[in-house]
Amino acid sequence: MKRKIFLSLSIVLTGLFVGTSLWIQNRDPLELPILGAVLPFSLVNQHSKDIGLEDLLGYVWVADFIFTTCSGTCPIMSEHMAQLHRSYQLDDRVRLVSISVNPENDTPDVLK
């Protein structure tokens, strides 16, 4: 079941990435897209701190969905996020968020 959810999320994110890439090629460079709305949420990060949508408002943020026991695409996605982090670590306007789809196992200590 988790694998189906993870695969579905990966397909949706890939579709959003491809669609956004195509849109970027044909847009006014000063216009930012509105791709959709994210409902308020509350998650716990690796430092046991609550993080929610209000903490990300006003930033450009990229999210991926992983779980730490995944041996398939998660390590690849995590490496891509690490590459993004290296590219934008000095840009305070950018936030990267990895969301576990297995919070029962992926406790703050495991995420550290």
Side-chain angles (χ1 to χ4, degrees):
M1 180 65 174
K2 288 180 185 178
R3 185 167 286 189
K4 287 182 181 180
I5 292 171
F6 180 72
L7 184 57
S8 297
L9 287 172
S10 295
I11 290 169
V12 168
L13 290 175
T14 300
L16 284 173
F17 176 76
V18 171
T20 302
S21 296
L22 292 172
W23 179 85
I24 287 172
Q25 294 173 7
N26 299 309
R27 71 172 178 89
D28 176 352
L30 299 178
E31 178 186 341
L32 293 176
I34 297 175
L35 300 176
V38 176
L39 297 176
F41 61 85
S42 179
L43 302 168
V44 177
N45 71 9
Q46 72 272 24
H47 306 294
S48 298
K49 179 183 174 195
D50 289 334
I51 301 293
L53 179 61
E54 64 278 357
D55 298 302
L56 300 170
L57 292 176
Y59 296 99
V60 172
W61 57 287
V62 177
D64 70 345
F65 297 86
I66 62 164
F67 56 103
T68 59
T69 57
C70 169
S71 60
T73 59
C74 297
I76 296 167
M77 291 170 51
S78 293
E79 178 54 34
H80 289 175
M81 289 293 274
Q83 288 173 0
L84 282 173
H85 172 70
R86 288 189 291 275
S87 296
Y88 292 99
Q89 65 185 345
L90 299 177
D91 191 336
D92 193 44
R93 302 169 297 172
V94 177
R95 298 289 184 264
L96 303 176
V97 181
S98 291
I99 300 170
S100 172
V101 295
N102 186 5
E104 296 82 23
N105 179 68
D106 293 341
T107 63
D109 286 335
V110 171
L111 294 172
K112 282 182 189 174

